[in-house]
């Protein structure tokens, strides 16, 4: 009997919203044939918290605590994007020392985000929490640095438009140098644990391939795009802040599978370490905040501030009508846009692969649902 | 050779296992990374943003707050309310100050906005209560927290 | 020393002597067998309870943390398993509405029963064996296939797509790994020329442990490794725990079980792990052979060494996908097992011709 003529039925399976490996409250409706995925429909909105409407009700200063709650794992980069947007709108000039401090914080945050992402990818693959806890242990050291500078471990409220909120405390630079010095050893240990592990390689090579033209069509950015071979990094292409002064490589890998995205993240941690070391060495003296009027009213107009967040391109689009509150605030979040490519990547693979693919896109539900 | 990658990974974890018995770390249990809360506690760093606190005036011992309400206007959430004061000019002092810790974001914008350095973010983080009413702190309680915070030694303003 | 070695045998002789004074022979035999069975089951379950505690501590230490150390007044959290057992006993027993009640109920019973029955032929020490039958190996291989039925019943009887997925994966996996396991057992049988468990242990005696089959390079080591990998798959432990992959299909085939039924599954998994380690010790690591210490202490030391390796694997390795698992079984382990058997046979024939064996 010809296999193609056998009548089969597809089953519909709901993955989530309460699921251990969907990185948050994320719901997928799968259509399965046996174990192979035929179609996938993502359902989002379980964590919607009205960031964009809140932006219209607060003044520019009052909104400052909120961007770090969008993507709570890398809060500094979110605040950086918002600050860039407001500075473009009002034409503010940021002092040198503040730019260096911002770069240090943003790159430290990138390192933290990548190790957390790798740890949770391994958790989804089944390595019962061990890589997660090693990564979280390393993250604790960086969080101590953040607490030293800003006062909080996760919702920083530190990078503001015009500069940073406060100057670095004493002892920060030596502590930061120590933490950054411990990163290469940690990344080497992680690579030894994972990169040549036959089981890990068998679970991730050739899975979830995203061709580069499809990636560009779906507006994917970040490690997702660079893992498919497209060398697009906003820090190079549309250089903001002072990134043009630092010496770092843009990491790309040729295939577009889960293993390559993991390797892109590992290499990016190393490149970020380079940037932070250079910035710590060149930190100039000076003020850390531009002179701002008491009531901040930027002129009418609009501005789009975008940065290379660890997950992709994060952009804030601000429209001002001359008042002290924004008229419209729109967040272009990388996780939400990258998720659009999930059905394309997942068709034809099996259910365990789906979990690996989702882990490699690296989403945070706070950002997807805003 | 097949299995070499797995063997390397296993060596890494065995190394961690060995180090927890013979290494060093923040807890009493040698190379372990966790501390046994609540018997051992990690101290928060200097700029840690915990609960709000009212600082005392070194001459009078009372609050420095003049009930100007700048903090109430700056707060994004509106957790500060019911501010009243008596006296005029430089002699004005607050008599009532309500702070809802259930709504507070712990962002610290109020502290930055206060022109008299009358409030600060203390290091209190064990804030759980059994009822909603206990979540609203009044001036007396905030002054208590402030006294405890001042004893620990403030960092630079 | 000799008194300590024969402690349990002397106890048994005293007990039988006590009963024989006022009971007929056949009744004495029945009662003593009952007592031995009950003792075996109770010992197994007690060890399983503290094995869960040990697993949490070991995996915790691998992850740079303490593990469970808070329950109760004993230090190191030694009362944690008691707390877990009480929790299982007091939870509400929920049966899904459309589930097949008989199948749903019998599945954990079958799984635990199949595992515990294997304990009867494991030699814990010199002369300490539940039932010294001449074909212990055959009994072993036959009984270890029963747990596959238990899994399938659990997966089907819960009326849940997730558990059906888990059950199907589990059965496919278990049946595929029976073959490499059987082939490696055949090697041990050929090397010891007997199917009885006691005689296999005795064939590994002498020469300070160098005669253990695991050190018989190359066939013995290969057989030991094949057996260990197949055994990991048989008991659904990492990296082969895809049927209960709790990050994908949220607990797989026992997703709808609660209360004591879940507890029975939990215990069955650990009893399986102990049984499989005991069989590996018996067949390849010399069973109870060892100097100075009493034989049963040596036996448990070896079993715990193998269990430590299992927990170490669990804490480190990600899990394999189901088709990769099957590929490993059919494309790697079965050819290796067959080649191993052939090599052993060839070796024995050559040795016999040369007059060495």
């Amino acid at each position: 009997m010809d296999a193609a003529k056998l009548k089969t039925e597809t089953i519909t399976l709901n993955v989530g919203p309460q699921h251990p490996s969907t990185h948050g409250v994320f719901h997928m409706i799968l259509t399965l044939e046996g174990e192979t995925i035929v179609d996938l429909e993502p359902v989002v909105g379980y964590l919607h918290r009205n960031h964009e409407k809140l932006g219209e009700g607060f003044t520019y200063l009052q909104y400052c605590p909120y961007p770090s709650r969008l993507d709570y794992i890398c809060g500094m980069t979110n605040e950086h994007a918002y600050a860039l947007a407001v500075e473009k709108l009002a034409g503010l000039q940021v002092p040198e020392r503040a730019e260096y401090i911002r770069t240090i914080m943003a790159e430290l945050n990138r390192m933290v985000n990548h190790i957390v992402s790798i740890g949770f990818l391994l958790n989804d693959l089944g390595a019962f929490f061990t890589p997660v806890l090693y990564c979280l242990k390393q993250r604790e050291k960086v969080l101590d640095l953040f607490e030293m500078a800003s006062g909080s471990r996760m919702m920083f409220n530190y990078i503001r438009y015009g500069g940073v909120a406060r100057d670095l405390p004493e002892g920060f630079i030596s502590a930061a140098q120590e933490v950054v010095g411990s990163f290469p050893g940690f990344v080497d240990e992680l690579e030894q644990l994972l990169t040549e592990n036959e089981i890990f390689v068998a679970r991730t090579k050739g899975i979830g391939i995203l061709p580069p033209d499809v990636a560009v069509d779906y507006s994917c950015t970040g490690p997702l795009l660079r893992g498919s071979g497209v060398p697009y990094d906003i820090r190079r292409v549309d250089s903001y802040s002072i990134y043009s002064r630092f010496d770092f490589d843009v990491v790309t890998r040729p295939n577009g599978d889960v293993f390559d995205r993991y390797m892109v993240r590992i290499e990016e941690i190393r490149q970020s370490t380079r940037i932070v070391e250079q910035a710590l060495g060149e930190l100039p003296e000076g003020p850390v905040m531009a002179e701002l009027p008491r009531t901040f009213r930027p002129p009418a107009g609009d501005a789009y501030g975008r940065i290379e967040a660890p997950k992709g391109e994060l952009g804030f689009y601000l429209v001002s009508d001359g008042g002290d509150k924004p008229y419209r605030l729109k967040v272009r979040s990388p996780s939400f846009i990258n998720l659009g490519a999930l059905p394309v990547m997942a068709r034809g693979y099996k259910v365990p692969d789906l979990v690996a693919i989702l882990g490699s896109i690296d989403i945070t539900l706070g950002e997807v649902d805003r | 050779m097949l299995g070499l990658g797995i063997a390397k990974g296993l060596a890494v974890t065995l190394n961690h296992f060995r180090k927890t018995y013979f290494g060093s770390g923040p807890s009493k249990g040698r190379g372990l990374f966790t501390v046994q809360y609540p018997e051992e506690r990690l101290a928060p760093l200097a700029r840690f943003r915990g609960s709000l606190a009212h600082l005392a005036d070194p001459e009078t011992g009372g609050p420095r707050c003049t009930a100007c309400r700048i903090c109430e206007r700056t707060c994004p959430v509106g957790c500060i309310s019911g501010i009243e004061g008596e006296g005029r000019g430089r002699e004005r002092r607050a008599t009532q100050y309500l702070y809802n810790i259930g709504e507070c974001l712990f962002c610290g914008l109020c502290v930055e906005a206060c022109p008299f350095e009358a409030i600060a973010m203390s290091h209190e983080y064990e804030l759980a209560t059994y009822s909603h009413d206990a979540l609203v702190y009044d001036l007396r309680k905030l002054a208590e927290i402030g006294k405890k915070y001042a004893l620990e030694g403030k960092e630079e303003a | 020393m000799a008194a300590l070695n024969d402690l349990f045998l002397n106890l048994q002789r005293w007990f039988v002597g006590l009963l024989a004074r006022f009971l007929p022979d056949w009744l004495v035999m029945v009662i003593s067998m009952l007592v031995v069975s009950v003792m075996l089951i109770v010992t197994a379950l007690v060890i399983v309870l503290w094995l869960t505690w040990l697993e949490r501590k070991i995996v915790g230490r691998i992850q740079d943390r303490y593990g469970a150390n808070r329950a109760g007044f004993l230090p190191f959290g030694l009362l944690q398993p008691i707390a877990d057992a009480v929790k299982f006993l007091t939870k509400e027993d929920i049966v899904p509405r459309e589930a097949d009640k008989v199948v749903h109920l019998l599945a954990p019973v079958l799984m635990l029963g199949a595992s515990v029955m294997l304990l009867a032929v494991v030699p814990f020490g010199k002369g300490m064996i539940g039932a010294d039958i001449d074909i212990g190996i055959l009994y072993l291989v036959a009984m270890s296939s029963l747990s596959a039925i238990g899994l399938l019943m659990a997966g089907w009887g819960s009326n849940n797509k997730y558990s059906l997925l888990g059950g199907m994966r589990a059965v496919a996996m278990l049946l595929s790994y029976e073959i490499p396991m059987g082939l490696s057992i055949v090697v041990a049988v050929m090397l010891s020329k007997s199917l009885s468990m006691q005689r296999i242990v005795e064939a590994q005696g002498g020469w300070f442990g160098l005669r253990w089959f695991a050190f018989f390079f190359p066939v013995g080591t290969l057989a030991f490794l094949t057996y260990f990998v197949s055994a990991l798959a048989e008991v659904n432990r990492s990296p082969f725990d895809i049927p209960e992959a709790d990050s994908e299909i949220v607990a797989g085939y026992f997703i709808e079980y609660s209360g004591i039924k879940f507890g029975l599954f939990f215990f069955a998994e650990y009893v399986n792990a102990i049984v499989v380690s005991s069989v590996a010790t018996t067949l390849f690591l010399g069973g109870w052979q060892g100097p100075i210490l009493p034989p049963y202490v040596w036996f448990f030391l070896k079993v715990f060494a193998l269990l430590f390796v299992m927990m170490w694997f669990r804490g480190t390795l990600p899990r394999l996908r189901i088709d990769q698992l099957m590929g490993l079984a059919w494309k790697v382990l079965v050819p290796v097992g067959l080649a191993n058997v052939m090599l052993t046979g060839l070796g024995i024939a050559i040795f016999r011709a040369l007059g060495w064996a």
Side-chain angles (χ1 to χ4, degrees):
Chain A
M1 196 174 193
D2 196 5
K5 297 210 197 87
L6 283 173
K7 184 168 169 299
T8 53
E9 270 187 35
T10 57
I11 57 175
T12 312
L13 189 66
N14 273 311
V15 179
Q18 295 153 315
H19 192 101
S21 34
T22 53
H23 295 261
V25 270
F26 180 56
H27 182 192
M28 291 183 276
I29 303 181
L30 300 176
T31 314
L32 295 177
E33 195 167 312
E35 280 233 6
T36 318
I37 299 177
V38 168
D39 201 6
L40 185 155
E41 185 188 327
V43 178
V44 295
Y46 290 90
L47 194 55
H48 183 60
R49 292 170 295 172
N50 271 318
H51 271 270
E52 300 187 354
K53 185 67 185 173
L54 280 179
E56 294 175 19
F58 290 151
T59 62
Y60 290 90
L61 182 64
Q62 280 179 327
Y63 187 71
C64 278
Y66 285 82
S68 52
R69 287 159 162 85
L70 272 176
D71 178 359
Y72 31 82
I73 300 185
C74 41
M76 289 281 189
T77 45
N78 298 9
E79 295 179 355
H80 197 179
Y82 176 65
L84 269 181
V86 178
E87 282 155 19
K88 269 196 199 164
L89 194 58
L92 293 175
Q93 196 55 20
V94 179
E96 281 284 301
R97 188 174 165 89
E99 291 277 26
Y100 273 88
I101 296 178
R102 279 185 183 182
T103 310
I104 294 172
M105 295 298 177
E107 291 305 311
L108 277 174
N109 227 327
R110 189 182 312 269
M111 286 147 74
V112 157
N113 176 292
H114 284 328
I115 62 178
V116 163
S117 151
I118 293 173
F120 279 100
L121 170 67
L122 261 296
N123 193 28
D124 296 340
L125 286 180
F128 186 67
F129 258 104
T130 307
V132 174
L133 286 176
Y134 293 167
C135 296
L136 290 182
K137 180 175 156 184
Q138 189 70 11
R139 176 179 177 240
E140 284 292 314
K141 300 181 191 163
V142 179
L143 289 185
D144 277 343
L145 282 181
F146 287 154
E147 189 182 339
M148 218 190 278
S150 73
S152 167
R153 284 154 48 95
M154 224 166 145
M155 310 303 179
F156 307 111
N157 194 15
Y158 185 62
I159 299 183
R160 310 261 179 90
Y161 52 87
V164 293
R166 305 168 75 153
D167 203 348
L168 301 171
E170 291 189 22
F172 181 87
I173 298 186
S174 50
Q177 274 165 343
E178 207 179 298
V179 168
V180 170
S182 73
F183 256 91
F186 171 74
V187 176
D188 286 339
E189 187 190 49
L190 206 60
E191 282 223 75
Q192 188 188 357
L193 181 61
L194 300 175
T195 310
E196 289 174 37
N197 195 334
E198 283 87 4
I199 302 181
F200 180 66
V201 166
R203 282 300 295 270
T204 54
K205 267 222 162 93
I207 305 290
I209 297 190
L210 185 67
D213 47 343
V214 174
V216 170
D217 277 346
Y218 276 94
S219 312
C220 302
T221 48
L224 198 59
L225 187 63
R226 292 197 284 277
S228 299
V230 181
Y232 185 76
D233 186 335
I234 298 179
R235 296 175 288 176
R236 274 282 148 79
V237 165
D238 190 8
S239 193
Y240 56 96
S241 184
I242 46 170
Y243 277 101
S244 45
R245 298 187 206 174
F246 297 118
D247 183 26
F248 65 97
D249 304 322
V250 171
V251 185
T252 59
R253 300 274 300 188
N255 322 312
D257 57 10
V258 172
F259 186 74
D260 274 358
R261 287 174 220 140
Y262 155 80
M263 285 307 291
V264 164
R265 292 198 172 98
I266 292 249
E267 275 306 313
E268 282 194 0
I269 300 177
R270 295 203 172 107
Q271 298 302 321
S272 291
T273 320
R274 276 172 75 184
I275 300 180
V276 177
E277 279 169 5
Q278 290 168 45
L280 280 173
E282 299 172 6
L283 197 61
E285 300 295 325
V288 289
M289 182 59 122
E291 290 300 320
L292 292 172
R294 188 178 303 182
T295 3
F296 180 66
R297 282 177 212 271
D302 59 0
Y304 180 60
R306 63 182 189 153
I307 60 158
E308 177 72 20
K311 299 181 156 78
E313 171 187 332
L314 175 65
F316 273 80
Y317 178 62
L318 276 171
V319 176
S320 157
D321 59 354
D324 60 350
K325 302 191 166 109
Y327 180 71
R328 171 83 168 105
L329 178 130
K330 156 113 181 90
V331 180
R332 185 250 190 237
S333 66
S335 307
F336 184 60
I337 311 277
N338 287 351
L339 268 187
L342 181 63
V344 171
M345 279 195 274
R347 262 183 216 125
Y349 292 102
K350 304 205 167 28
V351 174
D353 297 331
L354 173 68
V355 171
I357 297 173
L358 193 61
S360 77
I361 303 183
D362 187 18
I363 60 173
T364 303
L365 262 298
E367 215 176 32
V368 171
D369 291 337
R370 275 156 296 170
Chain B
M1 190 192 93
L2 185 70
L4 196 61
I6 298 184
K8 279 200 217 171
L10 289 171
V12 167
T13 39
L14 197 64
N15 208 13
H16 271 260
F17 184 81
R18 179 190 60 88
K19 271 197 240 173
T20 63
Y21 286 107
F22 301 112
S24 66
S27 158
K28 287 196 303 235
R30 279 170 290 254
L32 292 161
F33 195 66
T34 51
V35 292
Q36 293 282 285
Y37 185 88
E39 288 96 18
E40 309 170 14
R41 279 165 219 246
L42 291 173
L45 297 174
R47 288 190 191 173
F48 182 75
R49 302 200 293 256
S51 159
L52 198 63
H54 267 259
L55 299 173
D57 199 346
E59 295 149 25
T60 66
R64 286 189 217 163
C65 173
T66 59
C68 66
R69 293 192 165 160
I70 289 181
C71 54
E72 187 179 344
R73 283 201 299 271
T74 314
C75 176
V77 208
C79 62
I80 300 180
S81 57
I83 299 185
E84 281 159 34
E86 59 184 24
R88 305 197 52 85
R90 282 187 188 278
E91 310 305 318
R92 186 175 167 83
R93 288 289 181 268
T95 51
Q96 167 80 298
Y97 191 101
L98 292 177
Y99 165 67
N100 187 341
I101 207 158
E103 303 210 359
C104 178
L105 285 183
F106 298 97
C107 62
L109 284 176
C110 53
V111 171
E112 291 177 23
C114 179
F116 301 102
E117 291 176 17
I119 48 179
M121 303 295 277
S122 68
H123 287 183
E124 283 291 310
Y125 56 89
E126 293 162 341
L127 302 165
T129 60
Y130 282 102
S131 70
H132 271 237
D133 305 327
L135 284 177
V136 179
Y137 292 178
D138 61 357
L139 188 59
R140 196 183 42 81
K141 177 145 176 137
L142 289 171
E144 243 175 73
I145 304 179
K147 218 174 295 185
K148 186 167 158 215
Y149 176 60
L151 281 177
E152 293 169 10
K154 296 195 308 246
E155 34 74 65
E156 76 277 13
Chain C
M1 265 311 119
L4 214 59
N5 285 1
D6 296 332
L7 181 66
F8 291 100
L9 288 175
N10 289 343
L11 265 176
Q12 187 192 24
R13 259 180 241 137
W14 166 83
F15 184 64
V16 167
L18 186 66
L19 287 180
R21 264 187 252 152
F22 38 90
L23 286 175
D25 263 345
W26 59 271
L27 196 57
V28 169
M29 195 169 74
V30 167
I31 292 183
S32 79
M33 287 199 175
L34 232 84
V35 168
V36 165
S37 324
V38 168
M39 273 205 58
L40 270 179
I41 298 180
V42 166
T43 318
L45 290 182
V46 166
I47 294 182
V48 158
L49 276 181
W50 268 274
L51 198 64
T52 55
W53 171 85
L54 193 67
E55 164 142 36
R56 288 170 76 160
K57 294 295 263 183
I58 289 179
V59 173
R61 286 270 165 171
I62 289 180
Q63 298 169 352
D64 292 330
R65 58 184 174 90
Y66 277 96
N69 66 347
R70 288 266 166 187
F73 51 86
L74 291 180
F76 303 119
L78 278 170
L79 286 186
Q80 179 74 36
I82 310 277
D84 284 339
V86 169
K87 177 189 79 167
F88 282 137
L89 286 171
T90 55
K91 285 222 165 153
E92 180 189 350
D93 190 24
I94 306 175
V95 178
R97 199 186 322 160
E98 303 283 330
D100 194 338
K101 289 201 175 33
V102 173
V103 170
H104 189 84
L105 179 68
L106 279 186
V109 172
L110 194 58
M111 269 205 79
L112 190 59
S115 325
V116 162
M117 288 215 284
L118 285 172
L119 285 174
V121 291
V122 169
F124 292 101
K126 204 166 195 161
M128 286 167 61
I129 187 171
D132 195 1
I133 49 182
D134 279 337
I135 47 165
I137 295 286
L138 191 60
Y139 175 85
L140 203 84
V141 174
M143 284 301 147
S144 60
S145 319
L146 272 184
S147 47
I149 304 183
L151 280 181
L152 193 58
M153 284 167 72
W156 176 260
S158 303
N159 191 34
N160 183 339
K161 282 179 207 146
Y162 276 131
S163 66
L164 189 61
L165 261 181
M168 291 188 326
R169 287 175 175 178
V171 166
M173 193 176 88
L174 285 182
L175 292 181
S176 322
Y177 277 92
E178 292 278 334
I179 300 178
M181 199 162 93
L183 288 173
S184 39
I185 293 180
V186 161
V187 169
V189 165
M190 284 165 84
L191 287 175
S192 67
K193 304 192 194 45
S194 154
L195 280 176
S196 151
M197 302 284 265
Q198 279 285 33
R199 233 147 294 163
I200 294 181
V201 173
E202 283 158 16
Q204 298 179 58
W207 286 25
F208 296 112
L210 283 179
R211 289 194 72 174
W212 293 353
F213 292 154
F215 297 144
F216 251 59
F217 203 72
V219 292
T221 329
L222 215 51
F224 176 52
L225 291 174
T226 327
Y227 181 78
F228 195 64
V229 172
S230 319
L232 276 180
E234 285 286 320
V235 300
N236 294 338
R237 283 200 62 101
S238 250
F240 301 112
D241 57 350
I242 196 84
E244 47 181 58
D246 64 5
S247 61
E248 298 157 25
I249 50 175
V250 200
Y253 58 87
F254 41 70
I255 197 175
E256 293 282 353
Y257 283 91
S258 57
I260 191 60
K261 289 191 205 146
F262 179 72
L264 282 181
F265 269 120
F266 201 59
F267 286 167
E269 181 188 325
Y270 282 98
V271 170
N272 252 329
I274 294 180
V275 162
V276 145
S277 306
S278 317
V279 170
T281 329
T282 317
L283 293 178
F284 296 103
L285 290 182
W288 43 258
Q289 307 270 9
I292 308 171
L293 294 171
Y296 43 91
V297 173
W298 269 116
F299 182 79
F300 279 110
L301 281 177
K302 294 178 196 173
V303 169
F304 276 111
L306 283 182
L307 286 170
F308 177 78
V309 171
M310 280 189 180
M311 293 175 196
W312 184 19
F313 275 28
R314 179 180 190 198
T316 314
L317 300 171
R319 63 175 69 97
L320 285 170
R321 223 173 48 211
I322 186 71
D323 54 328
Q324 291 163 345
L325 265 181
M326 309 286 276
L328 183 71
W330 291 102
K331 294 193 219 167
V332 175
L333 289 180
V334 166
V336 163
L338 285 172
N340 215 5
V341 169
M342 254 174 29
L343 214 62
T344 319
L346 217 60
I348 291 182
I350 294 179
F351 278 28
R352 205 175 287 165
L354 289 176
W356 285 353

